[in-house]
Amino acid sequence: MGRFKESVYKNFFFANALVVVVILAGIFLLLIRNSLPAFLEVNFLDFLTGKVWNPGGYSESSYGILSLLVSTLMVTAGAMLFAVPLGVLTAAYIAEVASPREREIIKPVIEILAGIPSVVVGFFGIVVLGPWIARIFNLSNGLNAVNGSILLGIMALPTIISLAEDAITAVPDDYRQASLALGANRWETLVKVVLPAALSGIIAAVMLGMGRAIGETMTVLMATGNAPAMPGSFLDSVRTMTATIAIELGEVPFNSTHFYILFAVGLVLFIMTFLVNLASDLILERYQEVE
Amino acid sequence: MLEVRGSDTELNLVQHMAEKFMEDSDTVISVTGGGSGTGIAALINGEADMANSSRPMKDDEIEQAKANGVDPVEFVVAMDGLCIIVNPDNPVDKLTVEQIGAIYRGEITNWKEVGGKDQEISLYGRQNNSGTFVFFRDNILKGDYSEKMKRMNGNAQIVEGVKTDAAGIGYVGVGYVVDEAGNQVEGIKVVKVGKDENSKYVSPLNKEEVLSGAYPVARPLYQYTNGKPEGALLDFIKFELSDAGQKIAVEEGFFPVPEELKQQNEANLQ
């Protein structure tokens, strides 16, 4: 009887795990099936390399995603530029330097940061951060890639900090003691021994934070201005792929080229986040082997 | 029971009119949204007694209706006006329709070209899921928007943007620039608009001039019935077009029906 029960439990849990895989495969198939009809009308190369995104235009429609792709990459890169140093240093502080009491305060605060709804972050971008950026860079407005980058950086911080902290904490204590015994001080130990030992874990943390930044929608939709022109610098308004899908999918006529092409944009986005997650998985795997 | 279906722009307006009408009537009126196209399709299929539409019926829709034995009759229930807003620091206070079009098409890029400071114009508009985006493009721009226009998520965000942007220009519904007491909200300036250089520049906040139909950036909000309305539906439409009904339109942030369209409404009621 006990064995029977055990196999029931085992199958139950297996079925649960299977559901996730099936859902993922389903989404992937749906994306592909709904994307393909778009390329009966639109040349695939024009789609990837066209600079003009103007579906349902006044005289003609254009479906080039290059400026959207560049916008997404710019905002994501900007977010990482901001979040990686801040996140890793915070993680190092929490793991290595902070007293247990400080740790008890900082960690929950970071978790709260993760719970702020993205619309609220976006509104902050319009009302507070935008005018600051405008003043600092002497622009007429602050709805641009810098604004989006900082906001996305803030949103990626909790992911980066908690995972990087786990990685740093997981470095065996022997390493630290050996380093200190050799005469290195705490600073040298942290920078030259502990952080390099945790490097693959930190990189994985950064990758996951990046995946979060690429896929974030509402915040960038509100704070970056969404002008579809090819951005010339970080001080230009940008329109990311996620914002484009969110704006347009709601009202697009069913089964039109525009409808299908939005799924194609989604597919490109899916592939990008998939690659980032895959890379982080590979790095994490290596890191666990070392341990 | 009367079924009214269609435009989301008109939804609150017609709902409030129906509520007021039902206070003194036994007729039950159900008003639902779904978009102008949905309402017109429902009228054609005989599922609704009246369609709300923020655009005129298309030719093929009229043909389809006729083929189904439905004879659409048009009414204008109110006018949806758009205000052109700029930052209060901007010295420009009037523009022609052609100038507004050229600014949004990206042909005029500096405020000095229309009498302002030497400053690059910063464009704020709606996103292309908005009926207002299409109305403004098809009637004012008559071309594509500049790629540099910031696509904001709704009227309120355009107002927020222009408030903080000294070089900003935006277009929003009247309801977003006046508060509940009918005063203009602070932090923005509503530009007067002229049909062309030689005609009078009109403020959308000036009720008399708007009533005369002189404000050029306005669109009619339509309703369609199957044949000339009768019975309770006729009573309801008469109420909508009465002073009491038009007062509700103004409270909802719309303009009342101007004189020439009033006459057209009368003709379709007879």
Side-chain angles (χ1 to χ4, degrees):
Chain A
M1 200 57 198
R3 190 167 291 174
F4 173 70
K5 241 181 174 174
E6 194 159 299
S7 90
V8 168
Y9 281 134
K10 190 184 156 219
N11 287 326
F12 178 69
F13 281 99
F14 175 71
N16 277 295
L18 200 64
V19 167
V20 179
V21 176
V22 169
I23 290 174
L24 180 70
I27 290 175
F28 189 61
L29 281 179
L30 177 95
L31 276 175
I32 290 188
R33 237 190 56 190
N34 279 315
S35 305
L36 285 181
F39 300 109
L40 299 175
E41 301 271 329
V42 182
N43 182 315
F44 184 68
L45 263 179
D46 291 345
F47 169 68
L48 281 183
T49 59
K51 285 183 194 159
V52 181
W53 176 263
N54 186 19
Y58 185 75
S59 40
E60 57 166 356
S61 296
S62 320
Y63 300 100
I65 63 161
L66 191 62
S67 63
L68 311 180
L69 196 67
V70 170
S71 295
T72 292
L73 293 177
M74 267 172 77
V75 174
T76 307
M80 291 302 106
L81 225 55
F82 169 78
V84 169
L86 195 58
V88 173
L89 293 182
T90 307
Y93 180 79
I94 295 174
E96 295 290 301
V97 188
S99 68
R101 209 182 131 62
E102 285 174 316
R103 205 169 301 161
E104 264 169 42
I105 296 169
I106 297 173
K107 285 193 77 169
V109 168
I110 290 164
E111 275 150 26
I112 292 171
L113 190 63
I116 298 176
S118 50
V119 248
V120 177
V121 180
F123 190 70
F124 172 78
I126 295 180
V127 182
V128 181
L129 192 58
W132 281 353
I133 292 172
R135 220 170 306 141
I136 292 168
F137 294 100
N138 195 22
L139 304 166
S140 76
N141 68 82
L143 298 172
N144 52 30
V146 174
N147 194 333
S149 295
I150 295 177
L151 295 178
L152 284 187
I154 292 173
M155 298 182 79
L157 270 179
T159 309
I160 296 179
I161 293 174
S162 9
L163 290 172
E165 193 224 326
D166 287 348
I168 295 169
T169 313
V171 173
D173 225 18
D174 305 351
Y175 286 33
R176 293 181 191 88
Q177 312 224 326
S179 166
L180 292 171
L182 286 170
N185 60 27
R186 271 179 84 190
W187 167 251
E188 286 167 336
T189 305
L190 175 62
V191 174
K192 294 194 174 152
V193 177
V194 178
L195 286 184
L199 191 62
S200 50
I202 292 172
I203 291 174
V206 169
M207 292 288 206
L208 284 174
M210 194 152 100
R212 170 125 173 74
I214 292 177
E216 172 52 40
T217 308
M218 199 60 206
T219 304
V220 282
L221 192 159
M222 291 171 76
T224 58
N226 301 312
M230 176 65 85
S233 82
F234 270 91
L235 298 177
D236 282 345
S237 171
V238 294
R239 181 191 183 99
T240 63
M241 296 158 77
T242 49
T244 303
I245 297 173
I247 290 167
E248 293 174 12
L249 197 56
E251 293 272 328
V252 68
F254 244 165
N255 298 341
S256 60
T257 305
H258 186 189
F259 176 83
Y260 294 128
I261 208 97
L262 286 176
F263 277 93
V265 175
L267 186 64
V268 173
L269 204 56
F270 180 86
I271 292 170
M272 280 166 68
T273 42
F274 178 77
L275 289 178
V276 169
N277 281 329
L278 187 71
S280 75
D281 265 3
L282 290 175
I283 293 166
L284 260 181
E285 202 172 306
R286 209 195 107 197
Y287 152 72
Q288 274 154 357
E289 272 166 22
V290 169
E291 217 184 317
Chain B
M1 178 161 124
L2 293 176
E3 284 267 343
V4 181
R5 203 181 297 177
S7 162
D8 289 316
T9 310
E10 292 173 47
L11 181 59
N12 282 334
L13 168 68
V14 179
Q15 238 164 20
H16 279 141
M17 285 176 160
E19 280 163 18
K20 200 82 187 163
F21 178 74
M22 285 188 284
E23 284 175 10
D24 302 313
S25 164
D26 298 333
T27 316
V28 176
I29 303 175
S30 132
V31 186
T32 50
S36 302
T38 318
I40 289 171
L43 184 78
I44 293 173
N45 298 328
E47 291 161 12
D49 300 291
M50 182 154 74
N52 291 332
S53 176
S54 62
R55 59 169 172 83
M57 264 178 94
K58 295 175 192 157
D59 289 343
D60 57 335
E61 286 168 339
I62 294 173
E63 270 170 40
Q64 234 182 317
K66 294 246 160 83
N68 270 15
V70 172
D71 172 33
V73 177
E74 181 183 285
F75 297 93
V76 175
V77 64
M79 299 294 283
D80 183 14
L82 289 180
C83 293
I84 310 298
I85 56 171
V86 296
N87 192 278
D89 291 341
N90 192 330
V92 174
D93 57 7
K94 56 177 192 179
L95 291 166
T96 66
V97 171
E98 178 46 39
Q99 282 173 329
I100 296 169
I103 288 173
Y104 271 97
R105 287 193 302 270
E107 291 156 19
I108 294 178
T109 57
N110 194 305
W111 278 113
K112 72 179 177 194
E113 293 173 64
V114 291
K117 297 178 200 164
D118 183 6
Q119 196 172 33
E120 202 184 326
I121 299 176
S122 163
L123 301 168
Y124 292 82
R126 294 288 301 276
Q127 297 166 345
N128 60 359
N129 56 5
S130 139
T132 314
F133 176 97
V134 176
F135 161 71
F136 200 72
R137 184 187 68 190
D138 292 353
N139 292 281
I140 308 297
L141 274 70
K142 299 192 168 69
D144 274 312
Y145 285 102
S146 160
E147 283 199 313
K148 291 198 166 157
M149 179 179 85
K150 289 175 276 302
R151 268 75 165 169
M152 307 301 282
N153 197 17
N155 284 289
Q157 288 189 10
I158 295 181
V159 174
E160 285 302 325
V162 174
K163 263 186 191 173
T164 55
D165 190 338
I169 182 169
Y171 56 85
V172 291
V174 184
Y176 291 88
V177 301
V178 290
D179 60 19
E180 281 168 10
N183 300 315
Q184 193 195 315
V185 297
E186 289 196 8
I188 51 161
K189 182 163 73 175
V190 177
V191 175
K192 289 184 182 174
V193 183
K195 280 199 177 81
D196 53 54
E197 279 169 40
N198 303 319
S199 57
K200 196 170 173 229
Y201 290 88
V202 179
S203 162
L205 305 179
N206 181 327
K207 289 219 172 69
E208 287 86 58
E209 289 181 327
V210 166
L211 256 175
S212 73
Y215 186 68
V217 197
R219 63 173 165 174
L221 296 176
Y222 299 97
Q223 291 186 316
Y224 289 93
T225 56
N226 176 12
K228 292 207 186 281
E230 289 163 1
L233 187 59
L234 178 66
D235 291 341
F236 178 53
I237 294 175
K238 277 185 171 162
F239 171 76
E240 289 182 317
L241 304 177
S242 71
D243 290 347
Q246 292 297 294
K247 194 168 155 255
I248 297 174
V250 174
E251 283 165 8
E252 287 290 318
F254 296 105
F255 297 151
V257 181
E259 205 48 51
E260 51 179 279
L261 290 173
K262 256 186 193 161
Q263 283 164 13
Q264 193 187 309
N265 282 340
E266 286 297 325
N268 284 343
L269 276 176
Q270 302 303 314

